[in-house]
Amino acid sequence: MDDLRLALLLNAVSPAVGGVLVRGEKGTAKSTAVRALAALMPDVDVVAGCRFSCAPGAPDPGCPDGPHEAAPGTARPARMVELPVGASEDRLVGALDIERALADGVKAFEPGLLADAHRGVLYVDEVNLLHDHLVDLLLDAAAMGASYVEREGVSVRHAARFLLVGTMNPEEGELRPQLLDRFGLTVEVAASREPEQRVEVVRRRLAYDDDPAAFAARWADEEAALRERIAAARALLPRVGLGDAALRQIAATCAAFEVDGMRADIVMARTATALAAWAGRADVREEDVRQAALLALPHRRRRNPFDAPGLDEDKLDETLERFGGDDRPDPDADPDPDPGTDPSGPDGGGGGGVPPQGQGPESGPPAEQPGPSESPAGQPEPSEPAGASSADAGAGDRSAERAAEPFRTKVLSVPGLGEGAAGRRSRARTEHGRTTGARRPRGALTKLHLAATVQAAAPHQRARGRSGPGLVVRRDDLRQTTREGREGNLVLFVVDASGSMAARRRMSSVKGAVLSLLLDAYQRRDKVGLVTFRGTGAEVALPPTSSVDAAAARLEELPTGGRTPLAAGLLKAHDVLRVERLRDPSRRPLLVVVTDGRATGARGGDALALAGRAARLHAAEGTAAVVVDCEAGPVRLGLAGNLARELGGTAVTLDELRADSIAGLVRDVRAATTGTDSTVRNRRAA
């Protein structure tokens, strides 16, 4: 994992690089590598007794523990503060000390994790699972270098400059684009497939388990040498020169890869400077710029959430060669490459490239390729008649069709007021959101409504013998804040992949609609699942998961053909939802059935009646449902609408699913209503 080590060490040399995001499969020691960074960080000089780690030479003038007098200060090891995924907002930013406020009548601020991480490392394991309200606070602190707390009559500001390091498994979901851009560098890690390396990993782990102290002593000299090299690189960093030629290469590279904004240029410049200092040089070379691009650009190249991070290294080399040299290049010239350029990394071959990222194609819209069921010349093969009636699941199968271009969809939500995980889809009582009132706590008190608590306790102060400045508060006086926000739901897609959906243009449109709904689910922080039915039965193509891109991948691979066992698909969805209700009872489901409403089965059976009975099972349990009507042609049977009524839900066509179509429909209805009202008023006036 040379690239992971290099990215962490560069941030130790220059914290201004902006942190590291480590992406990789489970069981690759991502967290172990990150936690090892703390032991290599240089000590930090702080003002004695300051809870906010002010520097003795330049203390924060607005420090809540200040003002600080000039003093030598004390040295302490750099902190690595871990932010748990389930942390509360108060634990992250700090809050009013309620006990002192009620007992002594004074306002006292209790610092949070952002204060602890100042001038250190803030580490978030499984950062992609972090709740949105915590992500918002992290974004604010990272952007301003300070944390602002405004609540319960307390107004506090303190410095919060930290090195943000996160680890994540992409299978469990992706990061919000705003937070993704805040990480200076990103690396992909994967377990080695070389037997000898895997043997060495197991050998070292067993040696550590047998005698941790002896194992640490074995590597003590190497760690000490690494710590000294970091200190030397930090001392050299201010003297490293970033020439105009390197700056032109950086700017040209960011422009060539069409990254958004200017943050990528700044991060690349800082990373290239740190690479030069790490190599013991006072000048930035082309290989530094190349390595900086491989670390700083892949996660900024993603055009949509389902694009894999990656960088086209051939295009990168071409850009660097084109804009290399001390003089401005002639765009029409064909400069010769520098034969003395060393393509390896500055650490003697460690981190010369980013293999997992470099292997992937450049993200963005893919080049148009013939579909899997097209001939080499691009001509479609003869289409299969719709509604193939083979009883075999594989009979009449067509290979997977590409999805049409996704679009912005209508907002589908679960009616009522839920209490599920925080998200952006349906209305819910949440820990975060707008305050709607107060109530007596049921169980442990989590969010105190201070005004309501004081109001409940105030009438009883004389009877309770109050004599000091503080209130005499009893448990019956405590009031819990009630808040309303948005929750994330479980969106379970039930997709008809039968022969009646197999027409090329039709299935491409259907996949495009489902992909659009998956994009919407990603943005609204939902869990998603995918059930498909075709042939003789149904299957769970993807169990409910937070990894929306995994659902998109399964959708792309989905073949079509065979009979239409609609009842089997609905029954399989019922089983999936039953299990999920036991696992996560607070997360409300939304069933999205994508079908034309047709149903076929064994001869002599009423397939539509069976589908109706299966639909009524969902209706009896109150499952919110939407049927996406895929029926096409001038003659429509209305079967999808009948299915929606059996489910107790609504039906929308593929055209109505588009947000712009819905907006147009609303405008038309409003215009018609306005016209009718005007006609009525004119008649009354006459």
Side-chain angles (χ1 to χ4, degrees):
M1 297 185 181
D2 294 326
D3 297 305
L4 172 58
R5 294 177 64 251
L6 180 62
L8 292 172
L9 291 170
L10 291 177
N11 276 274
V13 171
S14 175
V17 166
V20 187
L21 175 64
V22 186
R23 298 164 48 94
E25 59 193 25
K26 52 187 176 295
T28 50
K30 301 184 295 293
S31 301
T32 303
V34 170
R35 292 188 177 103
L37 179 65
L40 302 176
M41 299 285 286
D43 289 347
V44 178
D45 291 329
V46 298
V47 174
C50 178
R51 298 175 297 167
F52 300 90
S53 301
C54 283
D60 182 8
C63 176
D65 286 353
H68 300 298
E69 298 179 357
T74 59
R76 64 161 175 78
R79 292 173 179 164
M80 175 168 285
V81 178
E82 294 196 32
L83 171 60
V85 171
S88 66
E89 184 177 342
D90 292 347
R91 185 69 189 98
L92 179 62
V93 300
L96 175 68
D97 190 333
I98 299 296
E99 183 178 353
R100 291 191 61 187
L102 294 178
D104 303 331
V106 298
K107 296 179 181 179
F109 180 72
E110 188 69 26
L113 295 178
L114 290 180
D116 294 340
H118 179 48
R119 305 177 66 200
V121 180
L122 182 64
Y123 171 49
V124 188
D125 192 13
E126 305 294 350
V127 64
N128 51 324
L129 304 182
L130 200 63
H131 290 302
D132 278 348
H133 66 280
L134 298 181
V135 171
D136 294 338
L137 295 171
L138 276 182
L139 289 173
D140 290 342
M144 298 182 292
S147 175
Y148 292 84
V149 182
E150 301 282 350
R151 60 179 61 186
E152 285 104 15
V154 174
S155 179
V156 175
R157 174 219 166 268
H158 64 83
R161 291 182 294 274
F162 48 83
L163 187 63
L164 182 61
V165 181
T167 55
M168 60 174 283
N169 182 352
E171 294 179 355
E172 297 173 340
E174 286 290 350
L175 278 179
R176 284 172 51 183
Q178 297 92 334
L179 182 58
L180 187 65
D181 191 49
R182 283 293 172 185
F183 287 97
L185 310 179
T186 183
V187 291
E188 297 272 342
V189 297
S192 172
R193 299 298 184 257
E194 295 293 330
E196 291 302 321
Q197 292 187 11
R198 297 176 74 95
V199 166
E200 183 62 21
V201 169
V202 175
R203 184 182 291 120
R204 292 188 186 184
R205 176 55 194 255
L206 294 178
Y208 174 82
D209 291 340
D210 290 340
D211 192 346
F215 185 86
R218 174 184 169 190
W219 300 95
D221 292 342
E222 185 174 335
E223 285 197 353
L226 199 57
R227 195 177 299 111
E228 291 176 1
R229 186 176 175 185
I230 291 173
R234 277 197 172 191
L236 177 61
L237 186 65
R239 302 197 301 274
V240 175
L242 185 65
D244 289 343
L247 279 173
R248 282 199 300 272
Q249 287 183 319
I250 290 171
T253 301
C254 293
F257 286 99
E258 300 178 353
V259 296
D260 296 331
M262 294 296 297
R263 185 173 287 118
D265 303 62
I266 297 171
V267 170
M268 273 190 65
R270 290 171 174 168
T271 304
T273 305
L275 281 163
W278 178 245
R281 290 185 272 101
D283 62 308
V284 174
R285 300 178 182 174
E286 182 174 310
E287 60 263 32
D288 300 327
V289 177
R290 185 182 193 278
Q291 182 65 69
L294 290 171
L295 293 172
L297 295 187
H299 61 300
R300 295 183 167 90
R301 280 285 299 124
R302 302 180 68 201
R303 303 261 65 88
N304 68 63
F306 301 148
D307 288 339
L311 213 61
D312 186 342
E313 294 196 36
D314 291 336
K315 182 177 180 180
L316 173 61
D317 292 335
E318 179 184 346
T319 303
L320 293 176
E321 181 180 348
R322 182 179 179 84
F323 289 88
D326 295 332
D327 298 325
R328 291 186 180 275
D330 181 0
D332 299 326
D334 185 15
D336 294 328
D338 182 4
T341 300
D342 181 10
S344 64
D347 196 18
V354 187
Q357 296 166 341
Q359 292 171 359
E362 175 188 344
S363 59
E368 194 65 30
Q369 300 289 341
S373 60
E374 291 180 331
S375 63
Q379 297 298 323
E381 296 176 354
S383 61
E384 173 187 305
S389 59
S390 170
D392 188 350
D397 285 358
R398 297 180 62 93
S399 55
E401 301 291 348
R402 283 189 174 181
E405 198 67 25
F407 52 84
R408 191 166 62 90
T409 67
K410 172 188 177 182
V411 179
L412 307 177
S413 60
V414 179
L417 195 63
E419 295 183 352
R424 298 180 177 180
R425 182 170 296 278
S426 306
R427 294 175 56 229
R429 298 184 186 92
T430 59
E431 291 292 323
H432 306 275
R434 64 184 182 89
T435 300
T436 58
R439 59 173 174 81
R440 293 181 182 272
R442 296 192 295 266
L445 178 70
T446 56
K447 289 287 184 180
L448 179 72
H449 194 296
L450 186 59
T453 299
V454 172
Q455 186 176 6
H460 309 290
Q461 296 305 295
R462 181 175 298 178
R464 294 173 183 174
R466 172 186 170 185
S467 58
L471 288 174
V472 180
V473 180
R474 296 179 180 174
R475 180 169 181 78
D476 291 343
D477 302 326
L478 299 179
R479 295 294 183 269
Q480 173 85 25
T481 299
T482 58
R483 296 180 176 179
E484 182 177 315
R486 293 281 172 176
E487 67 176 359
N489 297 111
L490 166 60
V491 182
L492 182 61
F493 293 93
V494 181
V495 180
D496 184 350
S498 65
S500 64
M501 304 282 287
R504 171 181 299 277
R505 185 174 301 174
R506 188 177 182 188
M507 196 59 199
S508 177
S509 300
V510 168
K511 284 189 175 182
V514 178
L515 184 63
S516 303
L517 290 168
L518 285 172
L519 282 167
D520 183 68
Y522 166 81
Q523 295 165 351
R524 299 184 188 281
R525 316 301 288 177
D526 294 318
K527 288 179 68 175
V528 296
L530 180 62
V531 173
T532 63
F533 59 93
R534 55 190 285 270
T536 59
E539 65 173 351
V540 181
L542 183 71
T545 175
S546 298
S547 180
V548 179
D549 54 345
R554 301 291 173 87
L555 179 70
E556 286 288 346
E557 300 166 358
L558 180 65
T560 58
R563 290 182 177 272
T564 313
L566 177 57
L570 294 174
L571 291 175
K572 181 66 70 173
H574 183 268
D575 292 340
V576 172
L577 294 180
R578 176 177 54 81
V579 174
E580 285 301 308
R581 283 190 181 96
L582 296 176
R583 290 178 178 172
D584 191 357
S586 63
R587 189 182 288 270
R588 296 187 295 165
L590 175 62
L591 184 68
V592 179
V593 185
V594 184
T595 180
D596 56 8
R598 290 180 172 85
T600 57
R603 292 183 179 179
D606 191 342
L608 285 176
L610 290 175
R613 290 172 58 186
R616 288 192 289 274
L617 287 177
H618 290 280
E621 294 183 354
T623 303
V626 175
V627 177
V628 179
D629 185 359
C630 303
E631 191 174 21
V635 179
R636 294 177 178 268
L637 302 179
L639 298 177
N642 295 337
L643 177 63
R645 285 188 288 274
E646 296 282 8
L647 286 167
T650 58
V652 295
T653 65
L654 289 175
D655 291 336
E656 292 173 344
L657 192 61
R658 294 178 178 270
D660 50 0
S661 298
I662 294 296
L665 178 63
V666 171
R667 285 194 297 268
D668 293 343
V669 170
R670 286 180 175 173
T673 303
T674 304
T676 302
D677 291 344
S678 300
T679 302
V680 172
R681 285 195 297 269
N682 291 337
R683 287 178 178 175
R684 287 178 177 174

